[in-house]
Amino acid sequence: MRQAFIEIKLPGHTVFLTADEVQQLLKKDTDIWSEATKRGKYILRSRK
């Protein structure tokens, strides 16, 4: 099975990570995980 990549554009760089890699990074910093989850809820609600 071919893994999909998440493209993240940063100033001067573009990185491609798998969902597992992003999840591992977020687990190391629970504050970022919490903020990103809240932000996701707000964004998804505003799209409706």
Side-chain angles (χ1 to χ4, degrees), residues 5-9 14-17:
F5 290 99
I6 300 166
E7 181 178 353
I8 302 171
K9 294 186 179 192
T14 301
V15 295
F16 292 87
L17 300 169

Side-chain angles (χ1 to χ4, degrees), residues 1-5 18:
M1 184 170 93
R2 189 174 147 158
Q3 287 215 350
F5 290 99
T18 64

Side-chain angles (χ1 to χ4, degrees), residues 36-48:
T37 302
K38 289 178 193 174
R39 187 180 305 128
K41 288 179 183 179
Y42 297 140
I43 291 170
L44 292 175
R45 286 181 188 148
S46 70
R47 287 182 183 172
K48 290 184 180 181

